[in-house]
Amino acid sequence: MQDLFSALCLVAVLEGLFLFAAPLAWKRMAARLLELPAAALRQSGAVVLALGLAALWWLRH
């Protein structure tokens, strides 16, 4: 459970870092995401999820 909380904290740090370092670029990216169809966002999410799980499995084994 401690690993889960550590991972969530790291996600918060990275999100905050992007917003702090490049807020205008982040806003442009968010505007572009709003223009994409839901299916494209779902596919992108699935790819990122699969890559994240594969990387986690690789690091743990």
Side-chain angles (χ1 to χ4, degrees):
M1 201 62 164
Q2 185 176 358
D3 287 342
L4 175 62
F5 289 134
S6 296
L8 291 175
C9 290
L10 183 58
V11 168
V13 167
L14 290 174
E15 287 286 335
L17 178 64
F18 292 137
L19 287 170
F20 177 74
L24 295 178
W26 193 90
K27 288 175 92 172
R28 283 192 306 268
M29 180 196 63
R32 286 184 182 174
L33 287 174
L34 288 172
E35 297 171 0
L36 290 175
L41 290 173
R42 188 169 286 117
Q43 287 176 338
S44 299
V47 168
V48 171
L49 176 66
L51 290 173
L53 286 172
L56 183 61
W57 179 85
W58 182 70
L59 288 171
R60 293 290 184 167
H61 286 86

